[in-house]
Amino acid sequence: MDTQFLLVAGSTRTADIEGISAAGADPALMRHTPSADAEILTYGEPVRSPVVPVSPSGCPTPAVVTRAVVEAVGHDLDFDFDFDTLVVDGGLAEPTGAPTVEVDASPGADVREPVAVSDAGAVFAAARRFGAAHPADRLVLAETIPGGTTTAMGVLAALGERRAVSSSLPENPLALKREVVDAGLDASDVEPGALAGQPTKAVRSMGDPVLATVAGLAVGALETETEVLLAGGTQLATAGALVRHAGVEAPLTLATTSFVAADSSAGVRDLVADLDVDLTVTDPGFDIRDDHPAMAAFLRGEAKEGVGMGGALALADEAGVEMGTVRERVVDVYDRVTATEATP
Amino acid sequence: MDTQFLLVAGSTRTADIEGISAAGADPALMRHTPSADAEILTYGEPVRSPVVPVSPSGCPTPAVVTRAVVEAVGHDLDFDFDFDTLVVDGGLAEPTGAPTVEVDASPGADVREPVAVSDAGAVFAAARRFGAAHPADRLVLAETIPGGTTTAMGVLAALGERRAVSSSLPENPLALKREVVDAGLDASDVEPGALAGQPTKAVRSMGDPVLATVAGLAVGALETETEVLLAGGTQLATAGALVRHAGVEAPLTLATTSFVAADSSAGVRDLVADLDVDLTVTDPGFDIRDDHPAMAAFLRGEAKEGVGMGGALALADEAGVEMGTVRERVVDVYDRVTATEATP
């Protein structure tokens, strides 16, 4: 099957709220995280971005794991299939050296503003056309956007779905997220559930440009009988909710990591069950290598998912790549990116 | 060797001058040619562009041949090496569905205006940084820009180099090009040779944004000991002239097609000799398949080169792919793109 992995990379000012996200060592560097993730996925190391995304406690970006899978699948000719990766600009705030497809997305505003994504309708429409026109048999959709679980919670609230979201922090700051979302609903003058069946309005009021893009790509693909695999955690589940609220009932699967599945605060199983979305969980077996700093950080509950990590692991499995091979590549990529002195 | 093929795609209003270019069925459609070429290179067919680039007489874009090489090299696992392709936005006038790296280039003005590329210096600098930061061992640089041989002639004139350029038309409209270039020199108040040693000024006055981008990529790569292969005809030779006028003396090779080499009006051999640039000429053997409309058109002297065709053929040779295999793939890609009904 001709499979295209699509990373949608973007930003929301919601990430600037203190304590919301661990997707960067500090708020200023966090703005570069999606641009750097796109470069790591594309080149195996940062190229133009001045930073390697790590959490404040040193957990590397899940882009390291996704890139490890790309290299593991691509470099062994015995496997059953290969896949190409591609980055869609879902509202990047900083330049990236990765090639990007444009859907005219802009950085999102703070979800506590009345309008979070002013061009949600146009972005959704452009992404839908691109998803419909793409020649692949299957699109694997992934995200990188710091603050994205909070905007996902906002969209779930506006749609009237279960407000279940995960976190890149070991302790999910759910109380803070709920407070931010409630402030956003107030500012947008939206009652919980008031935007059911109105996906682009839900994103406009309470979401982020990556959700508008992913949902558009998924709807366009499914309408033209292209398979869609949602590669991620509760943000991608929220994209699935947007697809359902757009009236599209085609089969959908969410492929996530064992770290998201084990996060009881996220409740991803109940969320996908509500949405009639199938769930695939892949465990990369990092416990076998708990001496490695990257794998130890994931085992502590950091990062958990992102940059399509769960979907990439599922593709590795499908291609017949052993998780031991993936782990070896994670070590390689980790060593490479942490050695990088990117050109500012 | 880790090889990256980079297509720089852009536009100049110079292409609107009647009789200058055959890179599109008519001037309105010609504006879509670089965007469509980028899609054919990336996906094997147009995705977002509303048109398959053909000349007024029906010769398909050389993107068909370059893509055929990508598929021939990529699909047989016995070959010595593989290469990735990437598109750089060198001033596109129309949207493309291909992912692009941004160097903040804008469409170029008519070379008869006082300033042809207002941001030539900034574009050159951004491309130079990207060329320096790219992790590949070798960059293969290619172009798609209708009207580009005329702006190349303009730059050669400003630099004081031999004004030798080829054409996508069987009969090179050299008299028209010289007239346009002379008008451009007058409008820019530049004497022939007055901008020797000032490459970005030469592009600003007389060039196009693709030349600024290619020259910047080449200089940045060569400064960081990355090899550069110039994949094309006289436009890429002109990029080589810009590299030399930037004071960079590292080895450079131009890989072109037998069709450019056979074009006595172009004088590419003398041009590269002047610039101390090596020349590789590859003949795809289209005479063996002169019954095929695409190959027959190239044999009539149409198109000749573009989208890195000559460089792609050289890479096929290097990888050990037979030209017969390339020709079979040309038929496949031609059938596919001419059957495409792209989504507008």
Side-chain angles (χ1 to χ4, degrees):
Chain A
M1 184 185 305
D2 186 9
T3 296
Q4 174 80 61
F5 183 100
L6 280 158
L7 174 65
V8 183
S11 62
T12 165
R13 299 300 300 206
T14 309
D16 297 347
I17 301 171
E18 202 179 322
I20 280 283
S21 176
D26 69 48
L29 292 177
M30 208 188 298
R31 293 175 66 79
H32 289 281
T33 292
S35 302
D37 280 346
E39 294 174 2
I40 293 169
L41 178 69
T42 303
Y43 303 110
E45 60 192 271
V47 168
R48 186 184 268 179
S49 294
V51 63
V52 176
V54 293
S55 73
S57 60
C59 182
T61 166
V64 165
V65 181
T66 301
R67 173 68 191 190
V69 170
V70 170
E71 295 185 9
V73 173
H75 283 65
D76 193 314
L77 307 176
D78 295 331
F79 298 130
D80 298 338
F81 84 116
D82 197 358
F83 62 94
D84 287 327
T85 65
L86 192 124
V87 181
V88 180
D89 183 343
L92 287 168
E94 297 290 340
T96 182
T100 58
V101 171
E102 301 301 317
V103 290
D104 291 327
S106 307
D110 189 319
V111 71
R112 295 171 304 183
E113 299 286 330
V115 173
V117 186
S118 59
D119 49 4
V123 169
F124 177 88
R128 182 180 185 168
R129 283 193 299 274
F130 182 67
H134 196 292
D137 303 315
R138 176 171 57 172
L139 299 188
V140 179
L141 303 178
E143 59 70 33
T144 170
I145 175 170
T149 56
T150 303
T151 42
M153 184 193 266
V155 166
L156 291 170
L159 295 175
E161 298 289 348
R162 183 187 300 267
R163 299 190 196 185
V165 295
S166 186
S167 172
S168 55
L169 289 155
E171 293 295 318
N172 195 344
L174 275 175
L176 173 60
K177 289 180 183 175
R178 287 193 188 113
E179 190 185 300
V180 167
V181 166
D182 286 339
L185 290 167
D186 278 354
S188 304
D189 200 14
V190 169
E191 292 293 317
L195 299 178
Q198 300 180 75
T200 57
K201 284 194 180 166
V203 173
R204 185 172 194 277
S205 297
M206 295 296 297
D208 63 58
V210 167
L211 283 172
T213 307
V214 173
L217 292 168
V219 167
L222 293 170
E223 284 174 340
T224 52
E225 272 145 56
T226 300
E227 276 187 41
V228 170
L229 182 68
L230 300 169
T234 45
Q235 288 163 259
L236 270 294
T238 302
L242 290 164
V243 170
R244 295 307 187 215
H245 281 262
V248 177
E249 292 173 2
L252 262 180
T253 299
L254 181 79
T256 195
T257 63
S258 48
F259 308 110
V260 167
D263 178 4
S264 58
S265 76
V268 71
R269 291 179 193 278
D270 292 333
L271 180 59
V272 296
D274 290 351
L275 300 168
D276 194 21
V277 168
D278 293 328
L279 184 68
T280 297
V281 177
T282 310
D283 181 349
F286 286 174
D287 50 325
I288 298 166
R289 288 298 309 274
D290 61 4
D291 57 310
H292 190 275
M295 300 194 225
F298 277 93
L299 291 169
R300 285 196 304 270
E302 296 188 48
K304 295 190 190 72
E305 176 56 275
V307 196
M309 176 177 164
L313 293 170
L315 291 176
D317 212 33
E318 183 182 329
V321 179
E322 300 282 342
M323 286 302 144
T325 307
V326 172
R327 289 191 298 269
E328 284 167 33
R329 279 280 174 186
V330 168
V331 175
D332 287 355
V333 179
Y334 177 81
D335 289 348
R336 189 192 312 142
V337 302
T338 53
T340 303
E341 286 291 325
T343 309
Chain B
M1 186 185 304
D2 186 11
T3 296
Q4 173 80 61
F5 184 99
L6 280 160
L7 173 65
V8 183
S11 62
T12 165
R13 301 300 300 206
T14 309
D16 296 348
I17 300 169
E18 202 177 323
I20 282 282
S21 176
D26 69 47
L29 291 178
M30 207 187 300
R31 294 174 64 78
H32 289 281
T33 292
S35 303
D37 280 346
E39 294 174 2
I40 292 169
L41 178 68
T42 304
Y43 302 108
E45 60 191 271
V47 167
R48 187 184 267 179
S49 295
V51 63
V52 175
V54 293
S55 73
S57 61
C59 181
T61 166
V64 165
V65 181
T66 301
R67 173 68 191 189
V69 170
V70 170
E71 295 186 9
V73 173
H75 282 65
D76 193 314
L77 307 176
D78 295 332
F79 298 130
D80 297 339
F81 84 116
D82 196 358
F83 61 94
D84 287 327
T85 65
L86 192 121
V87 181
V88 180
D89 182 343
L92 288 167
E94 298 289 342
T96 181
T100 58
V101 171
E102 301 302 317
V103 290
D104 291 327
S106 308
D110 190 319
V111 71
R112 296 171 302 182
E113 300 286 332
V115 173
V117 186
S118 59
D119 50 4
V123 169
F124 177 88
R128 182 180 186 169
R129 284 193 300 273
F130 182 66
H134 196 291
D137 303 316
R138 177 172 57 172
L139 299 187
V140 179
L141 303 178
E143 60 70 32
T144 168
I145 174 167
T149 57
T150 303
T151 41
M153 184 192 268
V155 166
L156 291 169
L159 295 174
E161 298 289 346
R162 184 187 300 268
R163 301 191 196 184
V165 296
S166 187
S167 172
S168 56
L169 290 154
E171 293 295 321
N172 195 346
L174 276 176
L176 173 60
K177 289 180 184 177
R178 289 193 187 111
E179 188 184 302
V180 167
V181 166
D182 287 339
L185 290 168
D186 279 353
S188 304
D189 200 15
V190 169
E191 293 293 317
L195 299 179
Q198 301 179 75
T200 57
K201 283 193 181 169
V203 173
R204 185 171 194 278
S205 296
M206 295 298 295
D208 62 58
V210 167
L211 283 172
T213 307
V214 173
L217 291 169
V219 168
L222 293 170
E223 284 174 340
T224 52
E225 273 144 56
T226 299
E227 276 187 40
V228 171
L229 182 69
L230 300 169
T234 44
Q235 289 164 256
L236 270 293
T238 302
L242 290 165
V243 171
R244 295 306 186 215
H245 282 260
V248 177
E249 292 173 2
L252 262 180
T253 299
L254 182 79
T256 195
T257 63
S258 48
F259 308 110
V260 167
D263 178 4
S264 59
S265 74
V268 70
R269 290 179 194 279
D270 292 333
L271 180 58
V272 296
D274 290 351
L275 301 168
D276 194 22
V277 169
D278 293 327
L279 185 67
T280 297
V281 176
T282 310
D283 181 350
F286 285 174
D287 51 325
I288 299 167
R289 287 298 309 274
D290 62 3
D291 56 312
H292 189 274
M295 301 195 226
F298 277 93
L299 291 168
R300 285 195 306 270
E302 297 189 46
K304 293 189 191 73
E305 177 54 275
V307 197
M309 177 177 163
L313 293 170
L315 291 177
D317 214 30
E318 183 182 328
V321 179
E322 300 281 343
M323 286 302 145
T325 307
V326 171
R327 290 191 296 272
E328 284 167 34
R329 279 280 173 182
V330 168
V331 175
D332 287 354
V333 178
Y334 177 81
D335 289 348
R336 188 190 315 142
V337 303
T338 54
T340 303
E341 286 291 329
T343 310

